[in-house]
Amino acid sequence: MERIVTVVPEDGLHARPATKFVETVNEFDADVQVGRADSDDLAPAASMLAVTGLGVAAGDDVRLVASGDDAEAVLDALEDILSTPESES
């Protein structure tokens, strides 16, 4: 499964949003990859270093790719994190 999501938190995928993103990935039985929507390169979404290394800022589109038993559920949870302003999370 694949989904494109626009990043809303003003810190992008850095600091607190990235921590919450990685922790959420690790709660599900799924293999998740993340990357910029304008690139074919994907990184393991369960790795804090890989996620923050993408340099994703607010307003950027990211591509989420998931496989496994919880693929749809993890994509829903990650989309919620990425589309919610940090002040509301």
Side-chain angles (χ1 to χ4, degrees), residues 72-84:
E72 186 169 8
V74 73
L75 289 179
D76 289 344
L78 295 176
E79 181 174 4
D80 186 52
I81 291 167
L82 294 176
S83 62
T84 302

Side-chain angles (χ1 to χ4, degrees), residues 28-86:
F28 290 87
D29 182 20
D31 178 47
V32 184
Q33 303 286 312
V34 61
R36 294 176 161 277
D38 59 1
S39 171
D40 290 332
D41 295 332
L42 293 173
S47 165
M48 185 69 169
L49 187 59
V51 170
T52 56
L54 293 170
V56 173
D60 290 349
D61 290 333
V62 294
R63 182 166 59 120
L64 304 171
V65 180
S67 60
D69 292 342
D70 293 338
E72 186 169 8
V74 73
L75 289 179
D76 289 344
L78 295 176
E79 181 174 4
D80 186 52
I81 291 167
L82 294 176
S83 62
T84 302
E86 193 172 355

